[in-house]
Amino acid sequence: MLQAPSSLSSGPSSAAPNHSKRILADSGAEANERNRFVQKLLTDAAELTKQSNETISFTIFQVKETLAVDAMTQTGAQDHASAPPQAASRSLARRLAGPGLGLAVAVALIAATLLYWDHSQHFESTDDAFISARAFPVAPKVSGYITEVTVTDNQHIRDGAVMVRIDPRDYHSVLSQAKAQLERDRTVLEQAQKNLGRYLTLSKTNSIPQQQVDDQGFLVEQSRSITVLDQARVDAAELDLAHTSITAAGAGHVVSLTAAVGQFVQAGTALAVFVPDDTWIVANFKETQLSAMRPGQAVSLAIDAYPTRLIRGRVDSIQPGSGTAFALLPPQNATGNYVKVVQRVPVKIVIDELPADIVIGPGMSVVPTVRIDPTPSLFERLTSR
């Protein structure tokens, strides 16, 4: 019986991450050794099938010769004498051909199983994968009555598009008051500066005391500070006025829209949820599937909502820890009974290019298949000829 090489049973080596070139070399050597082993099995199976067919054919030929000789020595009617040996010959041929056909089928199944096993060693897949995105609620920064809602449910909008408008009249009034106060204080500052100039001229001839000059200088600095404060109030009023128009922070879809015209909203009230176009896949692979998985490897994505469409992607990153380690209540294995369970590690997969006619969003199920071995499998080499 054939024995598999030691490299097939030992699994991939556990070298340190900083020896990536050595890992790739070992993986290539293991792949070549595995292919040689599979080819030897297929060659032996084909030789065994050939020998079995030759043996069965020779046996059938001998039986037919014996029956023919017996039929020639029989007496009686030729029709009655020739029929039984012919029927017996066909029956015996069927009985002898049955085991040979079963053996051929068994060999074919073994060969197909070996081809499938060799091909599957180049991939890792999981059905515990979902689409993810950094969705966030849309809320106003100022309060007021909603005067216009320019979007609808599930609508795709561009970056900077207006979603909701709040009544801006109150904020226009505040801005006008702030600007008027700024102009008044600027006039006071200009007058104070003129007075200071006159006082400085009079002080040179000792017409006024120095204390009066110093007091006027203090009033100038005070007026200058007030104008700076007034300018800050104008800027804040302009910002509040701009916040009455709620715009999109990027391109994406509007979902869970609750805003309505005439509704009074406070600052921070959630009006909708915004889902950006920047989406990715979080695949929770078993920790035993990560030995040969690296960022940059090609991934084929089968989305459950579009089973006939094949989308390409690549591994972006692997989380440095299992999913349970970052849970709200991580498990405490130091207490109580312990049962070892294979952990799952989140792997981030990005989509290379999403077709325009496909709409995906957070929570949708995906089946990713990562190619961990770029070398062609035996099945791929046979079908490519």
Side-chain angles (χ1 to χ4, degrees):
M1 180 176 295
L2 296 173
Q3 298 293 331
S6 59
S7 63
L8 293 177
S9 59
S10 60
S13 61
S14 58
N18 57 351
H19 294 85
S20 58
K21 293 183 179 179
R22 186 176 177 182
I23 292 175
L24 293 175
D26 293 342
S27 301
E30 291 179 4
N32 294 333
E33 187 176 356
R34 182 171 64 247
N35 292 336
R36 288 196 298 269
F37 172 67
V38 173
Q39 291 176 354
K40 180 174 175 55
L41 286 179
L42 294 176
T43 303
D44 294 342
E47 186 65 25
L48 180 61
T49 304
K50 181 179 179 181
Q51 293 178 0
S52 300
N53 292 336
E54 291 178 354
T55 303
I56 294 172
S57 301
F58 180 72
T59 305
I60 294 174
F61 176 75
Q62 286 184 330
V63 171
K64 286 184 178 181
E65 288 293 328
T66 304
L67 292 176
V69 172
D70 292 342
M72 292 177 63
T73 58
Q74 294 293 330
T75 58
Q78 294 297 328
D79 294 338
H80 297 283
S82 60
Q86 292 176 358
S89 175
R90 289 193 299 269
S91 177
L92 182 59
R94 284 194 299 268
R95 287 197 300 270
L96 293 176
L101 180 61
L103 180 60
V105 172
V107 171
L109 289 176
I110 293 173
T113 302
L114 291 175
L115 287 175
Y116 174 78
W117 172 82
D118 175 72
H119 187 69
S120 64
Q121 298 304 305
H122 293 69
F123 302 91
E124 291 291 356
S125 181
T126 181
D127 57 357
D128 187 2
F130 307 93
I131 296 174
S132 182
R134 291 188 176 90
F136 56 89
V138 177
K141 199 173 180 179
V142 295
S143 60
Y145 287 95
I146 296 177
T147 58
E148 185 180 7
V149 179
T150 61
V151 295
T152 185
D153 295 284
N154 308 320
Q155 180 180 345
H156 184 272
I157 57 177
R158 57 178 177 80
D159 183 14
V162 177
M163 303 169 59
V164 177
R165 286 191 174 93
I166 297 175
D167 189 355
R169 290 176 294 179
D170 293 341
Y171 299 97
H172 275 300
S173 176
V174 173
L175 178 59
S176 299
Q177 293 176 13
K179 287 182 177 179
Q181 185 67 31
L182 176 61
E183 291 299 326
R184 175 184 175 278
D185 291 335
R186 280 179 176 174
T187 303
V188 173
L189 175 60
E190 292 175 358
Q191 185 62 39
Q193 289 174 338
K194 291 178 181 179
N195 292 336
L196 179 61
R198 286 194 293 266
Y199 287 169
L200 289 173
T201 302
L202 294 174
S203 66
K204 292 178 181 180
T205 60
N206 296 323
S207 300
I208 59 174
Q210 184 63 34
Q211 180 65 36
Q212 191 174 356
V213 176
D214 294 340
D215 291 343
Q216 188 62 33
F218 173 76
L219 292 176
V220 169
E221 293 299 327
Q222 188 180 33
S223 299
R224 183 178 290 111
S225 300
I226 292 175
T227 56
V228 172
L229 181 60
D230 291 339
Q231 183 62 52
R233 290 173 179 170
V234 170
D235 294 339
E238 290 177 346
L239 193 60
D240 287 342
L241 180 60
H243 287 155
T244 58
S245 296
I246 304 175
T247 58
H253 288 82
V254 179
V255 298
S256 301
L257 181 64
T258 59
V261 175
Q263 177 185 359
F264 182 82
V265 293
Q266 295 285 355
T269 303
L271 302 179
V273 175
F274 185 76
V275 181
D277 288 342
D278 184 17
T279 56
W280 60 90
I281 290 91
V282 176
N284 300 301
F285 284 95
K286 296 179 181 178
E287 55 187 338
T288 55
Q289 297 178 285
L290 302 178
S291 59
M293 194 173 297
R294 300 290 183 272
Q297 291 175 336
V299 183
S300 59
L301 304 170
I303 303 177
D304 290 3
Y306 306 95
T308 60
R309 307 292 294 272
L310 183 62
I311 301 173
R312 301 293 180 181
R314 67 183 186 280
V315 176
D316 181 76
S317 60
I318 301 174
Q319 179 174 293
S322 65
T324 57
F326 301 97
L328 182 61
L329 297 174
Q332 299 295 331
N333 297 325
T335 60
N337 297 328
Y338 171 69
V339 178
K340 184 177 181 180
V341 178
V342 178
Q343 300 296 318
R344 290 188 176 268
V345 178
V347 176
K348 183 179 179 180
I349 300 173
V350 296
I351 302 173
D352 289 339
E353 184 177 358
L354 187 67
D357 60 336
I358 289 181
V359 178
I360 60 175
M364 299 178 68
S365 299
V366 185
V367 179
T369 302
V370 181
R371 175 138 200 166
I372 59 175
D373 188 354
T375 59
S377 64
L378 182 59
F379 174 77
E380 290 173 332
R381 291 199 298 268
L382 292 175
T383 54
S384 63
R385 295 178 181 177

